Amino acid sequence: MTKTPPETLRPASRLVGAGRREEWTGTPGQPGAVVSPPVWRASTHLYADTAALKEGPRKNEDGRFYYGRRGAPTQWALAEALTALEPGAGPEGGTMLYPSGVAAIAGAVLAAVRPGDVLLMTDNAYEPSRVLARGFLAEWGIETRWFDPLDLDGFAGKLCKRTKAVLLESPGSLTMEVQDVPELARMAHGAGACVILDNTWASPLGLAALSLGVDISVMSLTKHVGGHSDLMMGSATAPREWYQKLRRTAQVMGQVVSPDDAALALRGLRTMGVRLERETQSALAIAHWLEERPEVARVLCPMLPGSPGYDLWRRDFTGGCGLFSLVLRGKDAAARNALIDALSLFGIGYSWGGFESLVTPLDPAGARSASSWPLAGMDEADRFGVRLSIGLEDPADLIADLERGLAAWTASGGGA
Ligand SMILES: *Cc1c(COP(=O)(O)O)cnc(C)c1O
């Protein structure tokens, strides 16, 4: 069988073939190979003799046995597959794997900043990213300043000589504003800062982050890649220069993922494209339906006209996913909770991107410091909402479930 060079393939075809090297999936001495790499559980790699032992650490190359902390073919196959999905990673780029998405964010930031530096963070960043900055980076003498995700001038005004890294997230957690990633990256590079993007929402299938000027593309693999709510993992992908820095930082910090989880993530990855397509379609149908409901003040869904940054989504993104938020009329948190408790197809719990629909309360006011909630253009009176992760159920059933939820909201005095 001849191989088509992966860079000539479209994303759906890359998803199927990425990371499948015969040397990782074959049995030595036998023709052919299995489709998915076996789970290589390995700490010790045995060497033939002392000369080979000495050689091992000296070479320290990717995709080569040394010691279990550097992984084994199962993890290498996953990392290589993720790199192959990122246009712009280049032949010498690569992916580091981390035990969670938060570890990947921390690993990327720590690869880019040193004491005395300033980190600029988007104000709609995932809450644990804020906690990392406030509670940990500050103690190491790294100052974080927050910026309004939609205010380019404000961002330019906050860049300074000490700014060494910028953390973007687009769309942002909870409030879903889409950022002008290429323009923010251009400005950040002008100031000499490394641009890190939390690309968990879109994945490289929906946003080719590295091609748009991002230096390090981070994902929580716990979400779309895993896809089945049964593993925790994160990744950071970059072209050569930043990949080398990521690799060094991850290695000294002892970051490694289990081969069992890597095999699950690879399995999830193969179907990620069709899951995202289906979730996107269902989410759009549900978002349109919600928009017409009198109980709903605002639907914050990047794929919906009128959502903050929708034009940028149209310009830069090639796909979406099932995660969006809606804001209910008024300030009644108890009625909002009644809505959530009345749902039967939406599980109540953290995370998203799995095959099952999930719901969490939305109350972003406490997690902002450089921009306001409610967002510009929203009514001051409307504060609480829910965040929905649309799974693979039939959207008509999900709509019927939400209709029951909205009825419970009204029955609890939500509209009063
Ligand atoms: C969940 C999430 C993370 C963190 O991922 P974990 O795997 O849960 O640590 C990071 N960024 C975003 C946007 C997320 O939603």
Side-chain angles (χ1 to χ4, degrees):
M1 204 175 99
T2 48
K3 280 226 162 181
T4 313
E7 59 279 9
T8 64
L9 293 173
R10 292 168 182 80
S13 312
R14 286 191 193 200
L15 274 174
V16 171
R20 285 170 50 195
R21 282 202 215 176
E22 205 169 294
E23 66 207 74
W24 293 340
T25 50
T27 307
Q30 301 220 20
V34 295
V35 173
S36 295
V39 175
W40 284 79
R41 287 204 188 84
S43 58
T44 301
H45 172 65
L46 297 174
Y47 295 87
D49 51 28
T50 49
L53 179 75
K54 217 171 150 195
E55 183 87 332
R58 198 169 59 223
K59 282 212 167 155
N60 189 19
E61 286 162 358
D62 290 336
R64 198 167 177 283
F65 264 125
Y66 161 34
Y67 172 57
R69 210 186 307 110
R70 303 283 158 89
T74 323
Q75 294 98 322
W76 303 337
L78 175 61
E80 184 167 291
L82 292 168
T83 307
L85 290 175
E86 282 278 359
E92 291 182 76
T95 296
M96 291 311 298
L97 300 173
Y98 303 81
S100 70
V102 166
I105 293 167
V109 171
L110 289 175
V113 292
R114 295 291 175 270
D117 292 347
V118 171
L119 166 69
L120 275 186
M121 188 181 292
T122 181
D123 206 28
N124 54 2
Y126 183 61
E127 178 88 33
S129 299
R130 300 176 72 92
V131 173
L132 169 77
R134 281 225 171 86
F136 179 83
L137 295 179
E139 291 167 16
W140 288 91
I142 296 147
E143 187 189 335
T144 302
R145 298 174 186 164
W146 277 269
F147 64 93
D148 182 330
L150 299 174
D151 181 4
L152 289 173
D153 292 337
F155 176 78
K158 288 193 177 175
L159 284 167
C160 69
K161 277 209 193 79
R162 285 167 55 218
T163 311
K164 288 291 150 48
V166 173
L167 180 65
L168 309 176
E169 191 180 316
S170 182
S173 278
L174 306 182
T175 46
M176 301 283 148
E177 302 96 323
V178 178
Q179 301 186 301
D180 194 338
V181 171
E183 184 57 17
L184 290 165
R186 196 188 61 74
M187 291 195 281
H189 287 155
C194 169
V195 180
I196 304 164
L197 172 77
D198 183 336
N199 199 21
T200 304
W201 189 89
S203 90
L205 297 185
L207 187 74
L210 301 182
S211 305
L212 295 178
V214 168
D215 296 302
I216 304 176
S217 174
V218 173
M219 258 197 295
S220 164
L221 308 181
T222 310
K223 314 292 164 56
H224 300 315
V225 173
H228 296 72
S229 308
D230 54 6
L231 70 92
M232 302 287 304
M233 207 182 288
S235 66
T237 305
R240 203 186 78 84
E241 184 199 343
W242 281 106
Y243 171 60
Q244 292 303 332
K245 292 181 181 168
L246 286 171
R247 189 170 177 272
R248 173 172 178 266
T249 310
Q251 288 184 350
V252 297
M253 308 271 269
Q255 299 287 26
V256 63
V257 304
S258 97
D260 299 80
D261 290 343
L264 281 177
L266 255 179
R267 170 179 288 213
L269 188 70
R270 304 296 176 207
T271 59
M272 181 171 80
V274 283
R275 283 188 282 107
L276 286 180
E277 267 173 45
R278 165 66 186 245
E279 287 165 18
T280 300
Q281 277 167 17
S282 297
L284 261 175
I286 294 166
H288 279 297
W289 179 80
L290 285 165
E291 212 177 23
E292 300 300 321
R293 295 292 305 205
E295 302 91 337
V296 175
R298 188 80 192 263
V299 180
L300 300 170
C301 174
M303 313 175 287
L304 201 66
S307 204
Y310 169 76
D311 292 341
L312 297 169
W313 184 79
R314 282 284 303 266
R315 188 190 71 186
D316 295 339
F317 286 63
T318 50
C321 75
L323 186 78
F324 68 94
S325 298
L326 63 103
V327 183
L328 294 152
R329 293 202 185 280
K331 294 184 189 221
D332 195 335
R336 185 273 314 276
N337 296 346
L339 184 164
I340 292 177
D341 292 339
L343 298 174
S344 68
L345 291 180
F346 290 83
I348 304 170
Y350 296 113
S351 198
W352 48 279
F355 61 85
E356 184 199 49
S357 292
L358 292 176
V359 59
T360 45
L362 176 82
D363 181 10
R368 301 186 87 91
S369 38
S371 56
S372 65
W373 176 258
L375 302 179
M378 281 175 52
D379 196 317
E380 263 300 308
D382 304 328
R383 304 224 137 223
F384 298 110
V386 296
R387 189 183 72 167
L388 300 175
S389 173
I390 304 302
L392 301 180
E393 302 89 346
D394 191 306
D397 288 330
L398 295 175
I399 286 176
D401 204 27
L402 288 167
E403 188 144 31
R404 281 190 291 276
L406 291 171
W409 179 85
T410 307
S412 311

